[in-house]
Amino acid sequence: MRSQLLTFAFATLSAGHGIVTNPTSRSAGNAMKAVCGQQVTNNLQSNEYGDIQQLSQIGSSQPDFNATTCEVSLCKGLQFDDNSANVQTFTPGQVVPITVDIQAKHTGTCNVSVVDTATNTMIRNELIYFPVYASTSTELPKNNTQFDITMPDVSSQCGTAGACVVQWWWDSRESDQTYMSCVDFTM
Ligand SMILES: [Cu+2]
């Protein structure tokens, strides 16, 4: 009986594992559907916490999935046009508290960085880096889910909404699962 309960709990938790809950991060909508297809978008809408490998796998069998236009390695394919009402305004040097919700652990690494959405490349250096993140061998350290970043001066690159995101990126090689959340902002 006990093992059945544990199995059930594990199956529930395994549905997906982490997102940024504050500031507001991107969610799925019609713009995503247009580039990622119905099934991939439905999957992410029903499970916002999912990993990108799962999205790629689902997409690979879908005729309306285009791996180039639905770039899952950039914000899981979530689109600015579905999130234009949630654009933060940051200033150089601003300390921004980040809250992450982690439903289940997989040992990995994590970073938060400013990403140029036109090229999917990092601007400047990582704002924070965790060499060990969400380790399965310890309790979840509080700083894995509540920490501050300090915004660099990216005003020359990030003046236009949609041009840049603050991206939280958690990669677990032991499970081959990568999680991302993107916060839209201007500076
Ligand atoms: Cu998992």
Side-chain angles (χ1 to χ4, degrees), residues 10 13-17 51 104-106 175 177 179:
F10 180 75
L13 288 170
S14 294
H17 307 325
D51 59 87
K105 296 178 290 185
H106 282 303
S175 64
Q177 292 176 357
Y179 302 92

Side-chain angles (χ1 to χ4, degrees), residues 6-39:
L6 286 171
T7 303
F8 176 75
F10 180 75
T12 304
L13 288 170
S14 294
H17 307 325
I19 58 169
V20 169
T21 54
N22 192 58
T24 303
S25 61
R26 283 189 184 183
S27 57
N30 286 332
M32 181 180 180
K33 208 169 280 181
V35 293
C36 296
Q38 185 85 45
Q39 201 57 43

